[in-house]
Amino acid sequence: MLLYLIQTTLLLLLTLGIYKLFLEQTKIHEFKRYYLLAALGFAFAMPLIKIPSTGALTVANSKLQELNEVIISPVTPPTGVDTSSVLTGSTILLLLYVLGVIVMLIRFFTALYQYKKIEKQGSVIYNRGQRFVLLPHMDVAFTFRSTIYLPLHIPIDWDNKILLHEYNHVKQHHSRDILFIELLKIVFWFQPLLYWYKQHIALNHEFLADDTLNTSKEETQAYLQLLLTQTYQHNEQPLSSSFNFNLTKKRFIMLTKVNKPLHNTLAVLGTFALVCMLGATTVLAKDLKKQTTASAQTEKAKQVSNSDKVHIAVSKPAKYPGGMEEFNRDFISNFKLPEIDGNSARVILQFIVEKDGSLHDVKVVRDPGFGIGEAAIEALSKTKQWIPAEDHDQIVRSQFTLPITIAATPPAKNS
C-alpha cells in the first residue's frame, strides 16, 4: 500500500508538472480539461496495472512447489500471545484513515444538502429550458450541476455576460469534473496534490466559460471591467462554478492572451511525448522489478534446493546430546533383543538427521532377520533429538550409517 501511495504521488506530481510546463499558458482549454482528468485516472490506475511475465510466473510456481516439498515440519506459533495491546501502529493508521474518510463524507453530503436549503430560500423558474434559482440573499451567480443560481439583482437576460458565463458551465457539465475530484478526495483525503489539481481544473473551467463570450477587443475590455466589479464579492458555494471565482488575475491574463496555433500544436505534441515516456518508464520499471524479483526468487530457490540436499561429508557433523557414549547407552537401554539363532548378529541402519535434529528415512541396510532390524529401528526412534550438522555455517541434512553388532552371550567382564 505504501508503494502504491508513493507511485501515485510521483505520477500526480509529474503529470501536473507536464501540464504547467506545456499547457497552462495555452488557450487550448478543452484539451487541458481532458488532460487533467485523464492525468488523474492515469496516476491512480497505472500502479495497479499488472505486467505479465511468463518467466516470472514460472519461477514463482517452481518456488512454491519447492517450498511445499521441502517443508519438514510447521513452526508452532508461541501460545503465550500478548493481547494486552490491541491498538497496534497499523490499527491506529487505519482508524485515522477511516476517520478522515468519514469527515470528508460528512463534508461532501453537507455541501450537497446546502443546495437543497438554498433552493428552499429562493424561487425556482425555467427560461428557455434552463433551470434558475433566484436568491434574495446572494450577491454573486454560481452554477451547480444543471441549475444556475442568480441573485435577484441580476436579470434573466440572455445578453447578460454573467448569465451566459454560468450557462456555459451548465452546457459543458463542469460540475461532473468537480464531483469526480471530490469523490477522489474522499478516498485519498491525505493526498495534497488533489487539492492542487482541483484548483487547476476549476480555473480551467472559468477559462472555458469565458472563452466564447468575447469576439472583439471591445467586448473583452467590457468583460474585464465586469470581472473587476465582481472581484470583491466572495459568496462562493462548495462544489459550484462561480462567476467571481478567485484568481481573477489569471483570468485577465488568459482573456488578453493571443491564441497561437503553432505553439498549441507543439505543446500538445510535447505533452503526448512526455506522457508516453512516463508511461513507458513506469512499465519498464515494473518489468525490471519483476525480472529482479524473478532472479532473486530463482537464486533463493536454488539455495533452498541446495540446502535441502542430504550431505554425506560436512564441516561440522551432527552430534547426539551428551556425545556418542550417551547415544550408545540410550540405544542399548531401549533395544529389546529378540531370540536369535547363533552366537552373534550384525545389523546396519542408515538414517538422516534433519535440520531440526529429528531422524528421518531410517532404513535397514543389512538385516540378519529374527526381527532384529525392526527392534533396532524402534530403539533408534526412542533416542533423543540430535544436534543437526552444519556445512559452511549453514544447517544441513546429513546421513549416518550405524553398524550394530549383537553378541548372543554376554562378554567377559575383563573384556
Side-chain angles (χ1 to χ4, degrees):
M1 185 60 181
L2 181 60
L3 179 61
Y4 173 76
L5 295 178
I6 293 173
Q7 290 174 335
T8 53
T9 300
L10 287 175
L11 289 174
L12 284 172
L13 194 60
L14 290 171
T15 50
L16 194 56
I18 293 172
Y19 174 82
K20 295 186 76 65
L21 180 64
F22 288 105
L23 300 176
E24 187 178 29
Q25 301 303 320
T26 65
K27 298 197 72 171
I28 45 176
H29 306 310
E30 194 73 22
F31 178 80
K32 287 154 64 176
R33 176 190 181 184
Y34 292 110
Y35 170 82
L36 288 170
L37 294 175
L40 285 173
F42 173 81
F44 285 103
M46 195 66 185
L48 298 175
I49 296 175
K50 302 292 184 183
I51 307 299
S53 176
T54 306
L57 288 175
T58 303
V59 171
N61 290 335
S62 300
K63 178 176 178 289
L64 288 174
Q65 292 174 0
E66 286 295 326
L67 282 174
N68 289 333
E69 292 178 355
V70 301
I71 290 177
I72 300 169
S73 60
V75 178
T76 306
T79 55
V81 179
D82 183 15
T83 58
S84 59
S85 178
V86 179
L87 292 177
T88 61
S90 57
T91 305
I92 293 173
L93 288 176
L94 179 61
L95 289 175
L96 287 175
Y97 171 74
V98 173
L99 180 62
V101 170
I102 292 172
V103 170
M104 294 299 289
L105 279 171
I106 293 173
R107 176 180 171 274
F108 179 75
F109 286 109
T110 301
L112 292 179
Y113 178 69
Q114 189 70 20
Y115 288 100
K116 294 293 183 182
K117 289 179 63 178
I118 291 174
E119 286 189 12
K120 292 179 181 179
Q121 297 169 3
S123 304
V124 179
I125 64 171
Y126 290 84
N127 189 295
R128 295 187 184 182
Q130 175 59 47
R131 188 172 187 266
F132 294 90
V133 176
L134 303 181
L135 301 168
H137 60 284
M138 288 288 177
D139 297 324
V140 297
F142 58 91
T143 302
F144 178 66
R145 299 182 66 183
S146 60
T147 302
I148 298 176
Y149 297 81
L150 286 178
L152 284 176
H153 64 82
I154 298 179
I156 301 180
D157 181 2
W158 289 97
D159 292 326
N160 187 308
K161 295 291 186 179
I162 296 177
L163 187 147
L164 292 175
H165 176 96
E166 298 303 326
Y167 185 61
N168 283 338
H169 284 307
V170 174
K171 285 194 306 180
Q172 297 171 23
H173 307 289
H174 291 166
S175 291
R176 294 179 182 177
D177 302 357
I178 299 298
L179 290 173
F180 170 66
I181 198 166
E182 286 293 332
L183 291 175
L184 283 178
K185 283 167 60 180
I186 291 173
V187 181
F188 301 98
W189 56 266
F190 49 85
Q191 177 55 264
L193 291 175
L194 284 179
Y195 299 86
W196 202 8
Y197 255 94
K198 182 186 176 182
Q199 187 179 53
H200 284 285
I201 289 173
L203 179 59
N204 192 63
H205 287 170
E206 300 307 314
F207 293 159
L208 283 165
D210 292 338
D211 198 42
T212 59
L213 299 180
N214 306 288
T215 57
S216 66
K217 188 175 181 180
E218 290 76 14
E219 285 186 336
T220 301
Q221 292 298 326
Y223 191 72
L224 291 175
Q225 187 63 37
L226 181 61
L227 275 178
L228 193 59
T229 60
Q230 298 287 320
T231 300
Y232 301 104
Q233 299 178 10
H234 297 290
N235 295 111
E236 296 174 25
Q237 297 297 317
L239 311 182
S240 70
S241 299
S242 174
F243 179 77
N244 74 323
F245 179 79
N246 54 13
L247 303 175
T248 304
K249 180 181 178 181
K250 292 188 177 182
R251 291 172 67 184
F252 273 34
I253 295 172
M254 190 58 67
L255 283 167
T256 55
K257 189 181 288 291
V258 178
N259 193 25
K260 299 177 181 179
L262 179 60
H263 180 264
N264 295 342
T265 302
L266 292 175
V268 171
L269 292 176
T271 300
F272 272 120
L274 281 182
V275 170
C276 289
M277 287 177 59
L278 184 59
T281 303
T282 306
V283 171
L284 288 174
K286 282 191 170 187
D287 193 44
L288 181 62
K289 180 184 175 184
K290 279 187 173 288
Q291 290 178 7
T292 305
T293 305
S295 301
Q297 289 175 346
T298 305
E299 187 64 28
K300 190 174 181 181
K302 288 179 179 178
Q303 292 177 359
V304 171
S305 178
N306 292 335
S307 65
D308 219 41
K309 292 180 180 178
V310 177
H311 292 251
I312 305 299
V314 293
S315 57
K316 188 176 180 181
K319 296 185 295 183
Y320 189 79
M324 290 307 298
E325 291 184 4
E326 181 71 17
F327 171 77
N328 290 337
R329 284 193 292 268
D330 290 346
F331 183 85
I332 293 172
S333 62
N334 290 318
F335 186 79
K336 296 180 180 179
L337 180 63
E339 295 182 2
I340 60 174
D341 184 12
N343 294 329
S344 63
R346 194 166 191 265
V347 59
I348 300 176
L349 297 181
Q350 189 180 77
F351 59 90
I352 295 172
V353 178
E354 296 289 353
K355 296 177 185 179
D356 62 351
S358 62
L359 304 184
H360 183 253
D361 200 19
V362 181
K363 297 178 182 178
V364 180
V365 179
R366 178 178 175 179
D367 188 356
F370 308 105
I372 295 177
E374 290 80 356
I377 291 176
E378 184 179 358
L380 185 64
S381 65
K382 294 179 179 179
T383 57
K384 300 173 187 175
Q385 190 163 313
W386 288 56
I387 300 171
E390 293 184 18
D391 192 38
H392 302 293
D393 296 327
Q394 288 189 349
I395 297 177
V396 296
R397 306 168 75 205
S398 58
Q399 189 179 64
F400 276 85
T401 300
L402 176 66
I404 305 166
T405 300
I406 302 172
T409 57
K413 290 183 182 180
N414 58 4
S415 62

